[in-house]
Amino acid sequence: MPSVRNLEYLVAIADTLHFGRAAAACNVSQPTLSHQLKGLEARLGVTLIER
């Protein structure tokens, strides 16, 4: 089950269309945001964001 925080990261990426700006909006580093999104994708078994 995805956490609310992971979903917030996904929404921030969708809103900004940029990993760096999404990370800044969520007050985390870009590698942290990217790592959390990759974990969410692995947990769900789908690609959510095309890189």
Side-chain angles (χ1 to χ4, degrees):
M1 185 72 159
S3 71
V4 171
R5 192 70 176 149
N6 287 58
L7 296 175
E8 288 175 355
Y9 293 160
L10 179 60
V11 169
I13 294 167
D15 285 347
T16 62
L17 302 176
H18 191 272
F19 275 80
R21 287 190 294 264
C26 294
N27 297 313
V28 297
S29 68
Q30 185 275 325
T32 298
L33 183 127
S34 184
H35 179 74
Q36 291 296 318
L37 180 65
K38 217 163 190 34
L40 177 61
E41 289 176 327
R43 179 176 288 150
L44 297 175
V46 297
T47 301
L48 299 169
I49 302 291
E50 200 170 306
R51 293 162 180 84

